[in-house]
Amino acid sequence: MRINTLFYTIRQGLRNIFRNKSFTLASIATISSCLFLFGLFFSIVTNFQNIVKNAEQKVGITVFFDEGLEDKRIEEIGQLISKRPEVSEIHFVSAEEAWDSFKEDYLHEYADGFTENPLENSANYRVNLSDVSMQSALVTYIESIPGVRKINRSELTATTLTGINALIAYVSVGIIAILLAVSIFLISNTVTIGISVRKEEINIMKYIGATDFFVRSPFVIEGMLIGLIGAVIPLGIIYVLYNIVMEYIIDRFPMLTNLLSFLTVHEIFNVLTPVSLGIGVGIGFLGSIVTVRKHLRV
Amino acid sequence: MDTAVKKKGRKDAEDTQEIISLTNVSKAYSTGAPALKDVNLHINKGEFVFIVGDSGSGKSTLIKLLLRELVITSGDINVMGYDLARIKHRRIPKFRRNIGIVFQDFRLLKDRNVYENVAFAQRIIQKSGKEIRKNVPSILGIVGLAGKYKAKPKQLSGGEQQRVALARALVNKPAILLADEPTGNLDPKNSWEIMKLLEQINESGTTVLVVTHNREIVNAMQKRVVTLKRGVIVSDEEKGGYIDED
């Protein structure tokens, strides 16, 4: 393709956008609203997943040993546990550390009354899991290791988190699929109207001897530009909105931010920006190329 | 083999100077009677031919076949060495670049000025900016519209719009010019001016086919006249006239 043909094609694509303002606006509004919903949903879902993930990591199990078990055996048990694939982290807490942390958390100055460590047999491993749904399998395994006296765990938390995670995955896939289907349908409709308005021009081009590629290109560029604009607008809105909501939550519910860990706007946009732009431009490209193809057999 | 046949076809066409050749061509639509029946029409390079006939006689079908907008049902059709019954879809654009076309309703792009309407044809065949800047003013000069290159179609009279359409058809220097009722929407004065332009274009070597209803013009110009009636060629005369239906 000649350079001036390329520029001509891009210029025509831009002209098309301004030539049918109402159709262009309708297309941009459609993509924008779909991608806005998508972005909104994405922000909520990723934050929720992040919260669940953090909660999962906090849901650990505590492994206690038989009284007077040798340090060597304790070390062996630690090695056995850390070999398991579902274990993300294992941390040894000595009896002294356990007591120190208990004093700090609950007793404060009242701890001075104790001369001996009441938690003498409380040395333990704190084990965190990478996948909370594997908790009961891991517990069964650890219970079978000789030298293990007791395991503390939270079954309810584990099953609840597993359930929420699955639910979020299904719901998000479902809603995103519906949104995309609606977008493609609406864009195809809008492009069809746009093309029928310019059918005459396409016919003249074909009579003069324009190749399919030459006829299609301006429309495809138009579609991609509409998709691009349709993606940038909701991204901007969500960026501003996200910051406002986060500031509001931090300001009004400081308690919540201690319990739940929210993602920063940059963490969200690192993924949301390329995905939204890709979907916008992709929908514009697909919608226009499929629709133009239908009108090319002169 | 395909290429061999094509090459041979081209050579024959060159030898005989035959630029359009229809042999036993029939075209039937899926519904109703055949639009063209057993048509034999041979036109040499540089000829000026009127195609006349009432509506429903098959004139439009003939034009569409020559542009390869429609495919023949049976027979052979060869234009500029292209076998239009077998041409591949992707080769059609290149074929059409040999043909300039003018319609009764001008079919100009209303949102673009005269210059852009003509330049449009050059852009489609991917001429360079330099060539476009040279060719467009030159052809606008030939059709007498050099001074109006900035005007939009709706600011022009019917005759002027048809000249723009003519300039657009000619700017790519086609070997054949098809004019489908070019004077259908024009008054007698403008009609004559367009016809004179067509004659001038023909004199410079372009083969011209004019489909028309205009009896006065056909009779006055004394060119070859092919008359169609219900899909059949009923007469084909050198220096002919408009044959009345009755």
Side-chain angles (χ1 to χ4, degrees):
Chain A
M1 191 192 239
R2 277 174 177 274
I3 288 288
N4 82 320
T5 307
L6 177 74
F7 285 138
Y8 176 77
T9 305
I10 293 172
R11 255 199 332 269
Q12 288 309 308
L14 280 167
R15 273 185 81 141
N16 283 352
I17 284 184
F18 292 105
R19 208 178 293 162
N20 294 292
K21 286 193 194 77
S22 50
F23 293 123
T24 303
L25 284 177
S27 296
I28 291 177
T30 308
I31 302 188
S32 285
S33 34
C34 284
L35 286 178
F36 177 74
L37 286 175
F38 170 75
L40 206 64
F41 199 74
F42 178 84
S43 308
I44 294 169
V45 165
T46 41
N47 262 307
F48 210 86
Q49 278 184 327
N50 187 53
I51 289 164
V52 169
K53 202 175 126 203
N54 279 322
E56 265 188 2
Q57 278 167 359
K58 282 177 193 155
V59 176
I61 56 176
T62 316
V63 181
F64 297 96
F65 318 108
D66 290 342
E67 268 175 51
L69 195 70
E70 287 169 23
D71 287 354
K72 199 181 157 220
R73 180 62 196 152
I74 289 173
E75 212 169 290
E76 280 169 8
I77 294 172
Q79 274 164 7
L80 284 170
I81 295 172
S82 60
K83 271 182 198 155
R84 299 284 293 186
E86 63 269 34
V87 170
S88 70
E89 212 183 332
I90 177 162
H91 176 67
F92 179 71
V93 181
S94 68
E96 290 73 36
E97 278 169 346
W99 174 233
D100 285 345
S101 133
F102 186 81
K103 278 193 293 190
E104 202 174 300
D105 286 350
Y106 302 104
L107 298 176
H108 306 292
E109 65 270 24
Y110 306 114
D112 295 344
F114 293 89
T115 49
E116 279 179 16
N117 182 357
L119 299 178
E120 205 172 338
N121 285 314
S122 294
N124 60 64
Y125 279 120
R126 291 215 176 124
V127 181
N128 288 328
L129 285 93
S130 56
D131 181 357
V132 80
S133 65
M134 300 295 288
Q135 199 195 59
S136 52
L138 183 67
V139 168
T140 314
Y141 170 73
I142 297 174
E143 274 171 347
S144 70
I145 302 173
V148 172
R149 171 167 55 98
K150 191 176 90 166
I151 295 171
N152 279 353
R153 61 164 160 168
S154 167
E155 184 86 51
L156 183 68
T157 322
T159 44
T160 310
L161 285 178
T162 310
I164 288 176
N165 238 351
L167 185 72
I168 289 175
Y170 290 136
V171 170
S172 55
V173 167
I175 291 185
I176 288 166
I178 291 168
L179 284 179
L180 287 183
V182 170
S183 303
I184 287 172
F185 174 74
L186 287 173
I187 278 131
S188 171
N189 257 1
T190 319
V191 175
T192 307
I193 294 165
I195 283 172
S196 66
V197 166
R198 277 165 277 168
K199 208 161 186 177
E200 171 111 11
E201 185 178 334
I202 295 178
N203 275 336
I204 296 170
M205 289 170 102
K206 298 290 290 181
Y207 280 131
I208 296 173
T211 57
D212 288 356
F213 181 79
F214 189 89
V215 178
R216 260 175 219 169
S217 304
F219 292 103
V220 174
I221 284 174
E222 176 192 4
M224 285 164 76
L225 282 172
I226 288 176
L228 187 71
I229 299 167
V232 168
I233 292 171
L235 280 174
I237 296 174
I238 288 171
Y239 189 89
V240 174
L241 213 60
Y242 193 87
N243 281 324
I244 291 173
V245 170
M246 281 301 135
E247 270 174 37
Y248 182 78
I249 290 177
I250 291 166
D251 194 39
R252 298 292 294 269
F253 309 102
M255 279 292 290
L256 216 54
T257 48
N258 289 341
L259 283 171
L260 308 172
S261 48
F262 293 105
L263 292 165
T264 65
V265 73
H266 296 290
E267 284 171 309
I268 294 278
F269 273 71
N270 275 345
V271 181
L272 187 61
T273 307
V275 170
S276 287
L277 292 178
I279 293 175
V281 174
I283 286 174
F285 177 78
L286 273 180
S288 53
I289 207 160
V290 167
T291 322
V292 172
R293 204 181 278 260
K294 273 201 272 183
H295 299 272
L296 272 182
R297 298 264 161 186
V298 176
Chain B
M1 194 196 153
D2 215 358
T3 359
V5 169
K6 189 163 284 153
K7 270 186 186 157
K8 190 173 171 288
R10 275 222 174 122
K11 195 164 183 301
D12 287 350
E14 274 164 30
D15 287 350
T16 58
Q17 294 280 298
E18 200 171 82
I19 201 164
I20 294 172
S21 153
L22 282 82
T23 311
N24 303 324
V25 165
S26 293
K27 172 67 191 174
Y29 293 108
S30 49
T31 52
L36 283 179
K37 223 161 92 185
D38 230 7
V39 167
N40 286 288
L41 178 64
H42 302 274
I43 295 172
N44 289 339
K45 202 172 170 187
E47 271 196 277
F48 190 116
V49 182
F50 282 114
I51 313 278
V52 301
D54 284 353
S55 46
S57 61
K59 300 187 307 277
S60 304
T61 303
L62 179 63
I63 290 273
K64 285 177 178 169
L65 289 177
L66 291 174
L67 281 168
R68 185 42 178 77
E69 194 181 332
L70 292 174
V71 190
I72 57 169
T73 311
S74 65
D76 276 308
I77 180 166
N78 199 294
V79 178
M80 304 242 354
Y82 286 87
D83 180 347
L84 296 191
R86 283 168 200 88
I87 189 171
K88 289 200 172 83
H89 177 75
R90 64 183 164 81
R91 287 180 61 88
I92 296 173
K94 203 177 167 205
F95 157 70
R96 284 188 183 152
R97 291 174 190 185
N98 297 299
I99 298 176
I101 175 125
V102 176
F103 301 96
Q104 177 175 2
D105 55 358
F106 324 130
R107 300 202 192 169
L108 299 174
L109 302 175
K110 293 172 189 70
D111 59 335
R112 285 174 233 191
N113 64 28
V114 168
Y115 182 94
E116 267 308 314
N117 263 285
V118 179
F120 178 65
Q122 292 254 288
R123 295 194 206 284
I124 283 170
I125 62 165
Q126 306 198 18
K127 287 279 180 196
S128 72
K130 200 176 158 192
E131 284 173 292
I132 294 173
R133 283 190 294 276
K134 188 177 132 244
N135 296 339
V136 175
S138 146
I139 198 79
L140 284 176
I142 292 173
V143 300
L145 281 176
K148 296 206 167 177
Y149 69 97
K150 272 187 177 168
K152 289 272 172 74
K154 67 175 174 192
Q155 297 169 303
L156 301 174
S157 71
E160 286 169 328
Q161 290 189 52
Q162 194 58 295
R163 283 160 195 252
V164 179
L166 206 52
R168 183 181 65 192
L170 293 172
V171 72
N172 291 345
K173 300 187 175 66
I176 302 169
L177 179 70
L178 293 182
D180 190 0
E181 304 275 7
T183 60
N185 282 347
L186 304 180
D187 58 33
K189 182 176 165 278
N190 275 308
S191 297
W192 272 111
E193 279 175 7
I194 291 293
M195 291 318 294
K196 276 183 197 137
L197 263 173
L198 290 177
E199 201 170 20
Q200 200 183 316
I201 290 154
N202 175 242
E203 278 159 11
S204 69
T206 308
T207 307
V208 177
L209 258 82
V210 182
V211 171
T212 187
H213 266 116
N214 196 321
R215 175 194 312 263
E216 196 190 329
I217 282 173
V218 173
N219 288 338
M221 283 184 75
Q222 292 291 298
K223 303 283 184 189
R224 180 177 170 191
V225 179
V226 174
T227 309
L228 278 166
K229 193 177 173 185
R230 291 192 204 115
V232 179
I233 293 182
V234 290
S235 112
D236 182 351
E237 285 181 275
E238 291 297 328
K239 301 194 177 189
Y242 200 102
I243 296 173
D244 282 312
E245 266 294 290
D246 310 315

